[in-house]
Amino acid sequence: MPTDAVVSPDSATAGLTISATEALRSFLTSAASNTALSSDLRSTASSLSLRPSVPYKSLRSIWIASDPSTRPGLASILSGSQFVLTSPKPREKSEELKVRLKKMAENAERKAYQELVKDITPRKGVDEPFSSYKDQLGFGLHVVLTMFTCYLVGYAAFRALFGHSPVMNAAGGILGLVCGMLIETLLFIIRTSSLERRSASSTSELKKNQ
């Protein structure tokens, strides 16, 4: 008996399945009208005679139950038949896996789009003041150093003017702190304005080149 693999959508039956030949159908048709067989076997034979593939287990049960003196040989029935290999049922994905795959696909599409337009889209956050931890730390140290220096200058100036008066010396230090804060505020405004003008200029140039 040949062993060529033949895939059929109608052969979704557990166990070994073989393709139906004329000899096999003829045997099943005669078995369907054989009163010596039980009604279940006759019904099974009638149903299988119309199918393109037949489960070997069911065929063998019908053949064994048939009269040995009248039934054809099993080898002659199976002559020309082929094994029918059924495709495994595809595994169903869980809802959680579907959601995860959807998010991964969206992220991949977003990254691909960003990579595609990176040369024509202005980069965000590059010219923003204190956009990095290093800039923030540097600005904080600069403010502390400036205010401390202004405090010492104010303290020393008032001490030179008013002698060793603790109240006036402290007032001079506080005035120095205020002046230092005003200086840092002014420098921050100037720096921000400069970055904004630079960003607007680069954006306009980019639009002209597009």
Side-chain angles (χ1 to χ4, degrees):
M1 181 175 60
T3 58
D4 298 336
V6 178
V7 178
S8 173
D10 297 325
S11 60
T13 305
L16 178 62
T17 306
I18 57 177
S19 61
T21 61
E22 290 299 329
L24 194 150
R25 287 195 181 94
S26 177
F27 169 72
L28 292 174
T29 302
S30 62
S33 58
N34 188 356
T35 57
L37 298 177
S38 65
S39 59
D40 291 340
L41 289 178
R42 291 199 305 270
S43 176
T44 301
S46 176
S47 175
L48 293 179
S49 65
L50 303 176
R51 297 181 55 180
S53 58
V54 177
Y56 174 76
K57 185 177 181 180
S58 300
L59 174 64
R60 189 171 182 274
S61 299
I62 297 172
W63 182 82
I64 291 175
S66 300
D67 187 358
S69 62
T70 59
R71 69 188 180 190
L74 185 60
S76 63
I77 295 176
L78 298 178
S79 178
S81 295
Q82 298 175 339
F83 292 131
V84 178
L85 305 180
T86 58
S87 301
K89 186 178 180 181
R91 296 178 60 185
E92 296 183 359
K93 300 176 182 178
S94 63
E95 293 298 327
E96 181 181 356
L97 180 59
K98 290 180 180 179
V99 173
R100 188 179 304 175
L101 292 176
K102 183 178 180 181
K103 290 183 178 180
M104 292 176 63
E106 291 176 353
N107 292 335
E109 291 179 359
R110 189 180 302 110
K111 290 181 179 179
Y113 176 77
Q114 292 175 354
E115 185 69 18
L116 183 64
V117 301
K118 67 178 182 179
D119 295 333
I120 60 176
T121 304
R123 302 175 69 180
K124 298 180 179 180
V126 175
D127 294 333
E128 293 181 358
F130 316 122
S131 58
S132 65
Y133 177 77
K134 183 178 179 180
D135 293 340
Q136 296 174 5
L137 182 60
F139 177 76
L141 293 176
H142 184 268
V143 170
V144 171
L145 181 60
T146 301
M147 296 184 68
F148 181 72
T149 303
C150 291
Y151 176 85
L152 293 180
V153 171
Y155 185 90
F158 271 58
R159 184 175 183 179
L161 292 174
F162 301 102
H164 296 280
S165 174
V167 176
M168 296 304 297
N169 294 342
I174 295 174
L175 181 61
L177 285 176
V178 174
C179 292
M181 187 178 299
L182 293 176
I183 292 173
E184 286 297 332
T185 303
L186 181 61
L187 292 176
F188 176 78
I189 293 174
I190 294 174
R191 181 182 180 184
T192 305
S193 300
S194 176
L195 290 176
E196 288 178 353
R197 286 195 300 269
R198 190 184 309 167
S199 178
S201 176
S202 61
T203 303
S204 61
E205 290 180 0
L206 183 60
K207 290 181 178 180
K208 289 179 181 179
N209 294 332
Q210 292 179 355

